[in-house]
Amino acid sequence: MARKKHNYRDSLFVDLFGKCDKAKENFLSLYNAIHDTNLKIEEVTIEPITLKNVVYTGVNNDVSMKINDTIIVLAEQQSTINYNMPLRCLEYVTAQYSKMFKKERKYAMKRIDLPRPEFYVFYNGKEHYPKESEMKLSDSFKSFENMADDVNLELKAKVYNINFKENLPILQKCLALLAYSKFTEYVILGESKGIEDSIGYALDRCISENLLADYFERLKREDRGMIFGSYSFKDHLKVACEEAFEDGAEAKARENAKNFLIKSTISPDMIAECCSLPLAEVLAIKESLTHETAAAQA
C-alpha cells in the first residue's frame, strides 16, 4: 500500500530532493556525498523517475533518480525503523524495471541492459540507531542460519542515521541534507519548548543560520502550506503513532502513549486519539504508572 504523505519530514525530503527547482542539484550533491565523488550537474544527465500509477503493485517511494542512464537511486526517508525496507525496495525496483521495457522484450533472445540500482534509507527518528548500517533482504528469509552463505536473491539497502547529533560525515558534504537534518531537529526542539508554531520556529532558525536561507524564505513566504499543510503538535503525535502501526509495531503505540503520559501534560483523550488506542487502554496505562510511582516511593 502506498504510504500516506502526512509527515512534514516526508514532505520536506521529497521537495528538497525530488521536486523543488534545485532538486536535481540537491540530489546530485547527496549522491556525491555518499560516493565521495565530485560530479557536476552540467556533466551528467539526471532525471526524476516515479512509480506513480503502477497499477499492479500500487507501491510508491520517496525519491528516485536516474543518473547518466545507468543508475537508479531510490532514496527513502524514515522516522521509524522499518526492517522491511529491503522487501519494499525490491517492490520499487521491480515496478520500475517493468515500466522501462515492453513486456515482449523480456522474451527476446537479446539481453536487456538494466540500469544498476542503489537503495538508501535516511533515518531521523528518536530511537537509537547506528550511524551507518545495512539492511539485507536475506535477513528476512526463514531459517537463513541453515542456508549456505550465498543466496539466490539478495538486496541491500544502506541506512544512514542523519540526526544532527550523530555528526554523520555526509551531512557536512551535502548542504541540503544538513539543512534538512537541522530543520527537523529544530521542529522537535520547538515542540519541546511548547512553541505552537514549531514549523515557523524551525524555518526562522535555519534562515538565521543561512542554511538554504533562500529556499526556506520561499517556503515561509509562498509554499509553506503546500509542504507542511496545517501541521501542529497534535499532528506530530498522531504521525508518530500512525507510523508505528504502519510498520506493524502496535506495541510501539502503547510505548508512545506511556511516554506521553510520563513526559507531558497531554490529556488521556488526546493521547488515545493520537495513538489510535482505546481510551480505556490509555487510562489503564496511566493507572499502572500511578501504581509504579507509588510502589517506588513506598
Side-chain angles (χ1 to χ4, degrees):
M1 178 181 295
R3 188 174 46 165
K4 287 164 51 181
K5 292 297 178 186
H6 50 202
N7 190 334
Y8 74 89
R9 304 185 201 209
D10 286 330
S11 301
L12 184 62
F13 185 87
V14 170
D15 192 63
L16 268 173
F17 296 102
K19 291 185 176 180
C20 76
D21 57 356
K22 295 288 186 181
K24 291 182 180 181
E25 288 89 337
N26 291 341
F27 198 95
L28 186 60
S29 174
L30 178 58
Y31 182 84
N32 281 332
I34 291 171
H35 293 83
D36 199 24
T37 52
N38 191 32
L39 298 174
K40 301 291 193 298
I41 194 69
E42 62 272 13
E43 299 172 347
V44 301
T45 58
I46 179 169
E47 61 175 304
I49 49 180
T50 177
L51 293 178
K52 290 181 180 177
N53 300 320
V54 181
V55 177
Y56 82 96
T57 61
V59 297
N60 197 2
N61 78 310
D62 283 340
V63 179
S64 302
M65 292 279 183
K66 187 162 62 172
I67 301 176
N68 282 345
D69 206 35
T70 58
I71 301 172
I72 298 177
V73 181
L74 299 110
E76 185 93 358
Q77 178 274 334
Q78 291 275 294
S79 54
T80 56
I81 300 169
N82 186 333
Y83 293 100
N84 294 314
M85 280 310 304
L87 179 59
R88 288 167 60 174
C89 288
L90 179 62
E91 285 187 290
Y92 299 155
V93 75
T94 301
Q96 194 60 254
Y97 283 152
S98 295
K99 283 180 62 180
M100 287 182 173
F101 309 103
K102 292 182 179 180
K103 185 187 299 185
E104 294 77 12
R105 289 192 61 189
K106 291 185 290 186
Y107 298 97
M109 293 181 63
K110 184 178 179 180
R111 183 175 59 199
I112 298 173
D113 292 327
L114 298 175
R116 177 171 58 86
E118 297 179 9
F119 308 97
Y120 300 100
V121 177
F122 299 96
Y123 170 74
N124 62 350
K126 295 181 179 180
E127 294 181 55
H128 174 72
Y129 202 72
K131 285 186 178 183
E132 297 184 29
S133 60
E134 186 177 71
M135 291 183 181
K136 297 187 294 183
L137 183 65
S138 59
D139 292 336
S140 299
F141 294 160
K142 290 183 178 181
S143 304
F144 179 66
E145 64 275 8
N146 297 323
M147 299 170 63
D149 291 339
D150 58 325
V151 294
N152 292 328
L153 179 64
E154 185 62 283
L155 185 148
K156 300 176 183 179
K158 186 67 179 285
V159 185
Y160 293 99
N161 185 339
I162 58 170
N163 281 295
F164 183 72
K165 64 183 178 181
E166 297 293 337
N167 195 28
L168 196 68
I170 64 171
L171 289 179
Q172 305 307 321
K173 297 178 181 179
C174 177
L175 178 59
L177 193 64
L178 174 64
Y180 173 78
S181 175
K182 291 295 290 284
F183 178 87
T184 56
E185 179 184 76
Y186 289 146
V187 172
I188 294 170
L189 178 60
E191 289 165 350
S192 70
K193 291 183 174 183
I195 296 173
E196 180 71 20
D197 184 10
S198 57
I199 294 289
Y201 172 77
L203 288 170
D204 289 337
R205 286 291 300 265
C206 288
I207 291 168
S208 68
E209 295 179 19
N210 200 28
L211 288 170
L212 296 189
D214 291 343
Y215 172 78
F216 286 120
E217 281 279 13
R218 180 178 59 78
L219 288 189
K220 185 177 179 180
R221 185 175 62 250
E222 301 172 5
D223 298 335
R224 172 173 170 164
M226 295 178 63
I227 303 299
F228 305 118
S230 56
Y231 183 82
S232 66
F233 181 59
K234 181 177 176 180
D235 295 325
H236 167 70
L237 302 183
K238 202 162 188 175
V239 163
C241 294
E242 284 177 357
E243 284 184 336
F245 272 99
E246 287 172 7
D247 292 339
E250 294 185 21
K252 181 62 180 176
R254 298 185 186 94
E255 181 184 338
N256 283 341
K258 182 177 180 180
N259 289 334
F260 294 148
L261 287 166
I262 293 172
K263 300 177 182 179
S264 74
T265 58
I266 304 169
S267 71
D269 284 358
M270 180 177 287
I271 292 173
E273 179 184 350
C274 292
C275 294
S276 299
L277 291 171
L279 177 58
E281 187 166 354
V282 174
L283 292 174
I285 295 172
K286 183 178 181 181
E287 184 177 356
S288 175
L289 288 171
T290 301
H291 290 323
E292 288 177 11
T293 302
Q297 294 175 346

